């Protein structure tokens, strides 16, 4: 079974731009979660989607948003990029939403100049 | 608020040495516990997990962890490390409220010297 895939793997943007990242979960998995990884803050939860609905949201500003499609694929969007948004963005999928093991993708490395 | 502490930021060991990485969490309710590993240039992989039952859980590559509820701890152990264990190790918890978001510790970087 293929693992979680994320595209693109690397992205360079400038301040003020917006960006969309994509995640395809493991086949059959219906829950997708997004995390931000930075050297200073570590791994922080962004949001979780299950059956096209956002079930849970972390403590991030409204510039960070996401959605999930009927095939469980998910996208996250960051608008009005700031330098501090430079990070590795990780997507994780699990079979069901609650109390299930999450499997991570390789991440998208976003650099904001 | 829930939090996870990993007190060892960087551990350096020689091959064949024993390993123990500490993990403590703060949450009064029931939790699920995880250890993930991130090898250089690779993505996060699950080492082991504890949901319920025997508090001593065994994972991949000879790793094990023990859940001690009274100490809010879930320490990772390996009796004899190898050079290939060089990686960053993350402890994480989910709280059993129906949500599935992982709270991660800050990670411990392990360097194994051949």
């Amino acid at each position: 079974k293929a693992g979680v895939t994320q595209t693109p793997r690397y992205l360079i943007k400038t301040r003020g731009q917006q960006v969309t990242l994509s995640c395809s979960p493991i086949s059959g998995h219906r829950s997708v979660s997004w995390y931000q990884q930075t050297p200073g803050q570590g791994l922080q939860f962004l949001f979780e989607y299950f059956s096209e609905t956002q079930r849970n949201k972390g403590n991030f500003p409204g510039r960070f948003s996401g959605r999930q499609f009927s095939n469980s694929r998910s996208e996250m969007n960051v608008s009005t990029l700031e330098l501090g948004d430079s990070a590795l963005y990780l997507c994780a999928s699990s079979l069901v939403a609650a109390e299930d093991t999450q499997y991570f993708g390789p991440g998208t490395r976003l650099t904001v100049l | 608020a829930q939090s996870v502490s990993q007190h060892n930021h960087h551990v350096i060991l020689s091959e064949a040495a024993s390993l123990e990485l500490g993990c403590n969490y703060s949450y009064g309710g029931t939790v699920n516990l995880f250890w993930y590993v991130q090898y250089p240039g690779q993505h996060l992989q699950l080492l082991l997990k504890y949901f319920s039952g025997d508090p001593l859980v065994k994972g991949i590559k000879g790793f094990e962890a023990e859940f001690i509820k009274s100490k809010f701890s879930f320490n990772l152990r390996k009796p004899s490390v190898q050079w290939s264990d060089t990686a960053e190790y993350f402890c994480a918890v989910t709280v059993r409220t129906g949500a599935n978001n992982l709270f991660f510790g800050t990670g411990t970087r392990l360097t194994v010297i051949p």
Side-chain angles (χ1 to χ4, degrees):
Chain A
K1 218 182 236 188
V4 177
T5 57
Q6 293 186 245
T7 57
R9 294 291 311 277
Y10 302 91
L11 209 46
I12 299 175
K13 292 285 187 180
T14 56
R15 279 181 299 173
Q17 288 187 309
Q18 74 165 22
V19 67
T20 299
L21 312 181
S22 181
C23 170
S24 292
I26 292 171
S27 177
H29 284 196
R30 296 171 61 193
S31 172
V32 173
S33 297
W34 289 88
Y35 295 84
Q36 182 196 63
Q37 186 176 22
T38 60
Q41 300 296 319
L43 281 148
Q44 293 184 288
F45 170 74
L46 280 156
F47 27 65
E48 176 200 359
Y49 286 88
F50 179 75
S51 292
E52 302 177 67
T53 302
Q54 187 182 90
R55 282 179 46 93
N56 202 5
K57 191 176 191 307
N59 189 26
F60 279 82
R63 300 184 296 107
F64 292 81
S65 63
R67 59 178 175 167
Q68 186 181 34
F69 302 95
S70 58
N71 62 357
S72 295
R73 192 177 69 84
S74 177
E75 289 180 347
M76 68 162 280
N77 185 276
V78 188
S79 63
T80 320
L81 284 166
E82 300 177 0
L83 295 178
D85 297 333
S86 294
L88 182 66
Y89 290 89
L90 297 172
C91 169
S93 76
S94 60
L95 205 54
V96 294
E99 299 187 31
D100 198 10
T101 302
Q102 294 178 47
Y103 297 90
F104 285 81
T108 294
R109 172 76 61 187
L110 172 65
T111 301
V112 182
L113 302 175
Chain B
Q2 299 85 354
S3 68
V4 180
S5 299
Q6 292 182 247
H7 303 295
N8 311 105
H9 297 294
H10 189 190
V11 173
I12 303 172
L13 295 172
S14 298
E15 273 192 320
S18 64
L19 170 72
E20 181 158 2
L21 301 182
C23 172
N24 290 87
Y25 65 93
S26 67
Y27 181 69
T30 307
V31 296
N32 298 322
L33 297 149
F34 306 82
W35 276 97
Y36 283 88
V37 61
Q38 194 169 32
Y39 296 104
Q42 297 187 28
H43 58 278
L44 274 171
Q45 300 173 38
L46 181 69
L47 263 184
L48 47 78
K49 61 185 179 184
Y50 173 80
F51 280 14
S52 64
D54 188 345
L56 183 62
V57 292
K58 295 192 183 299
I60 60 172
K61 304 187 181 186
F63 286 91
E64 64 178 32
E66 185 175 13
F67 171 49
I68 303 179
K69 190 175 180 180
S70 60
K71 294 185 178 179
F72 298 88
S73 71
F74 190 55
N75 292 354
L76 181 71
R77 299 194 293 249
K78 186 171 184 179
S80 176
V81 295
Q82 301 172 317
W83 175 78
S84 58
D85 293 325
T86 295
E88 187 142 19
Y89 293 80
F90 294 91
C91 180
V93 305
T94 58
V95 298
R96 294 195 195 170
T97 58
N100 203 29
N101 49 302
L102 286 158
F103 294 94
F104 281 92
T106 50
T108 296
R109 185 152 57 102
L110 172 66
T111 301
V112 180
I113 301 169

